[in-house]
Amino acid sequence: MFTEYNRRPVAAVVLGLASVLALTSCSSGQQTAGPGGGEVAKVDGKISLTYLQKQGDQEYFVGEAAGAQAKADELGIDLKVVNLGNDANKTISEAQSAISQKSDGLIVVVPDPAVGPQVAQIAKDAKVALLTSDDQICTTGPDPSSCPADALVPRIGFSGAQMGGEVGKRAAAEFRKAGWNPAETRTLSAWKQDVTVCADRVKAAKEAFAADSGATVRNIDVPTDNSPTGAQDKIAATVTANPGVKHWVVWGCNDENVQGGVTALENAGFKADDVIGVGLGAYLACKNWSSGKPSGMKAALFINGEDVGALAVQTMYDKLKNGKAFPKEAFAPTTMVDASTWKSAGVTCG
């Protein structure tokens, strides 16, 4: 879903950017300038926005684009959505193209955070408002995890800590219900380990499971590329290397990791009753449930891309039309679903 980075060679990142102030709200209600476009003038006429998305043909981002377009139509905004695929270099060229076409604001989901400083500089030089959705970028360096808080570009998305915490709590509840022997059980955390938002989710899941499970269960970290097949291959090797484990609890950065894990365990001969998978996204988890067959995918946190796209466009509109400063982060809601509730929750299962 929205956390896979492909580290192809990228355009040279512009370093040595001018320092910027954080977007913080003072008691007076005034807002200071920040990396999202504090110097951007209000737009009196029709607003033009460009939404640059990585993996634009992936189901989550298709929904995000649809939500953004619906909100743009509602507000009378001219919106162009661009699919960047996994091409980090295309991020730069499309940002430059959007500015040359007189876009008033850019909303970006980068394929690689290393281009963050260059994208931020392009927007700043053109005095164009900049938001990120889903993943963070830094104005001063390629790694958001080591970025000063005041150099992070304002972001619309989901709270990694909240999402991971919900996953860990549900995994703990399923573990308690199963009544498994902790000594015969392992938790398995699968994610692309250089992606900041993934690390936040997995860390929170581990902490919530430890707090709520009532037992000490050994965890195994599995580095993946955040794809179903990549996770399946790595988790299959992990399962082979741990022949004494009878029960597995699987979580990760996204549905892809958990689906890969559930599939690997099924292929290794584990029955659905011996696997607890808690996805993050629900767009792959629901395919297990739609078959009506028993599955190791016990639940998933539903994250609706449409909500993020709509919120990003609304936030940009508020900035450009009304002069309202960007929040540092704004979060869309999430819902835990399972085989009995996913349809009523509105999960789209393509």
Side-chain angles (χ1 to χ4, degrees):
M1 49 168 277
F2 53 91
T3 45
E4 180 180 353
Y5 294 136
N6 187 337
R7 292 197 174 276
R8 299 177 182 177
V10 299
V13 176
V14 177
L15 299 177
L17 300 176
S19 61
V20 291
L21 297 173
L23 280 164
T24 53
S25 182
C26 304
S27 59
S28 64
Q30 295 178 333
Q31 300 286 340
T32 57
E39 299 176 357
V40 174
K42 290 199 290 183
V43 177
D44 293 328
K46 189 170 187 177
I47 293 172
S48 176
L49 301 180
T50 301
Y51 211 130
L52 306 177
Q53 290 182 312
K54 71 178 182 182
Q55 300 170 269
D57 57 353
Q58 195 266 3
E59 189 168 343
Y60 170 85
F61 290 112
V62 170
E64 184 176 75
Q69 188 63 63
K71 179 59 69 171
D73 292 344
E74 174 189 327
L75 298 173
I77 292 171
D78 182 9
L79 176 69
K80 180 182 180 181
V81 179
V82 179
N83 179 11
L84 302 173
N86 286 313
D87 189 345
N89 288 319
K90 190 175 180 181
T91 313
I92 304 304
S93 62
E94 290 292 349
Q96 292 169 331
S97 176
I99 287 170
S100 70
Q101 294 171 24
K102 308 302 182 184
S103 279
D104 301 302
L106 301 178
I107 306 170
V108 185
V109 194
V110 293
D112 192 313
V115 300
Q118 195 167 354
V119 173
Q121 190 67 52
I122 289 169
K124 182 178 180 181
D125 290 345
K127 292 184 169 56
V128 167
L130 176 66
L131 269 178
T132 63
S133 68
D134 305 303
D135 301 333
Q136 289 180 314
I137 62 173
C138 179
T139 64
T140 58
D143 183 4
S145 67
S146 59
C147 185
D150 61 357
L152 288 169
V153 173
R155 180 178 78 93
I156 306 299
F158 298 100
S159 165
Q162 181 268 334
M163 290 193 298
E166 291 300 315
V167 167
K169 289 176 185 176
R170 181 56 181 259
E174 295 288 343
F175 171 78
R176 294 195 308 269
K177 183 170 67 174
W180 294 344
N181 181 349
E184 298 175 339
T185 305
R186 297 290 182 270
T187 61
L188 195 152
S189 305
W191 80 106
K192 194 170 190 296
Q193 297 184 350
D194 61 350
V195 179
T196 309
V197 292
C198 288
D200 292 343
R201 296 169 197 171
V202 168
K203 178 176 182 291
K206 291 179 182 179
E207 292 173 349
F209 183 87
D212 286 18
S213 64
T216 300
V217 179
R218 180 185 166 193
N219 177 75
I220 301 174
D221 290 337
V222 180
T224 75
D225 63 0
N226 276 352
S227 72
T229 54
Q232 181 179 336
D233 291 345
K234 291 296 184 69
I235 292 171
T238 301
V239 172
T240 300
N242 291 270
V245 178
K246 296 182 179 179
H247 314 288
W248 292 91
V249 182
V250 185
W251 57 65
C253 180
N254 52 21
D255 254 24
E256 283 84 345
N257 281 289
V258 182
Q259 182 62 62
V262 169
T263 301
L265 287 161
E266 288 176 352
N267 291 344
F270 285 85
K271 296 180 180 180
D273 287 344
D274 293 316
V275 179
I276 295 170
V278 181
L280 204 163
Y283 47 85
L284 294 182
C286 63
K287 295 179 180 180
N288 297 270
W289 305 326
S290 62
S291 70
K293 298 178 182 179
S295 172
M297 187 75 79
K298 297 300 191 292
L301 191 67
F302 176 35
I303 52 176
N304 192 343
E306 292 187 18
D307 292 339
V308 173
L311 182 57
V313 170
Q314 181 70 61
T315 302
M316 186 67 82
Y317 176 88
D318 291 342
K319 168 70 175 177
L320 295 174
K321 186 61 69 173
N322 304 318
K324 182 179 179 181
F326 290 143
K328 289 183 178 180
E329 290 187 302
F331 300 133
T334 60
T335 305
M336 186 64 69
V337 296
D338 56 30
S340 64
T341 62
W342 67 274
K343 289 183 179 179
S344 61
V347 177
T348 300
C349 204

